[in-house]
Amino acid sequence: MKRVITYGTFDLLHYGHINLLRRAKALGDYLIVALSTDEFVKLQKHKECYFSYTERKSLLEAMRYVDLVIPEENWDQKKEDCQQYHIDVFVMGDDWEGQFDYLRDQGVEVVYLPRTPEISTSRIKKDLHE
């Protein structure tokens, strides 16, 4: 079984998120999503989520592409997660290009997928405030 992992906040779930998760799942047999906890988002990402961790987790678990949702609690857990969950492929959006190449030293394939350019959570929040 080929295991894939990706990370993110996944607030205000939209079709760009779904495209990313669909393409990530296509790279393997089992997709794990490390979902940023509320504390991590607030204290380390310096953002606010509209939906709580529990609500965002429920949305992701309802998607057919997602097999398991785990908490992302800090920036440095990726190496440990890859070991613990026997990850074969690490996937992130291409705006993170090069940031996680160090995982290749563990034998993990690192893939940066193109984002859906016309949609983002930031854009949705901005448009709602206008």
Side-chain angles (χ1 to χ4, degrees):
M1 178 187 315
K2 195 171 187 180
R3 293 175 171 256
V4 180
I5 196 166
T6 192
Y7 289 74
T9 306
F10 297 97
D11 194 23
L12 300 179
L13 194 65
H14 53 72
Y15 67 89
H17 291 134
I18 294 167
N19 285 341
L20 181 79
L21 294 169
R22 178 181 42 78
R23 290 180 290 161
K25 175 68 177 229
L27 295 172
D29 305 300
Y30 191 85
L31 177 61
I32 299 171
V33 176
L35 178 64
S36 303
T37 63
D38 295 333
E39 296 80 13
F40 179 55
V41 171
K42 185 174 186 173
L43 298 175
Q44 295 186 38
K45 291 186 171 183
H46 309 289
K47 295 195 263 182
E48 292 284 329
C49 286
Y50 184 83
F51 292 112
S52 72
Y53 174 82
T54 304
E55 293 165 330
R56 292 179 286 122
K57 183 176 188 250
S58 292
L59 289 167
L60 288 171
E61 288 173 338
M63 294 184 62
R64 66 179 174 172
Y65 306 117
V66 178
D67 296 295
L68 177 65
V69 179
I70 63 171
E72 178 187 24
E73 299 174 309
N74 64 71
W75 292 112
D76 301 320
Q77 75 183 64
K78 291 166 181 66
K79 193 173 186 178
E80 291 175 17
D81 288 346
C82 286
Q83 291 171 348
Q84 180 179 352
Y85 293 99
H86 309 286
I87 299 302
D88 300 294
V89 183
F90 176 93
V91 176
M92 288 296 283
D94 60 2
D95 52 329
W96 291 95
E97 186 88 36
Q99 295 295 310
F100 304 107
D101 291 353
Y102 65 89
L103 294 171
R104 291 182 174 132
D105 296 341
Q106 288 183 238
V108 176
E109 179 184 356
V110 179
V111 177
Y112 300 101
L113 294 175
R115 297 279 185 171
T116 307
E118 68 275 8
I119 189 71
S120 73
T121 300
S122 298
R123 180 174 172 199
I124 291 171
K125 288 179 178 180
K126 180 180 174 266
D127 289 349
L128 289 173
H129 282 69
E130 288 182 354

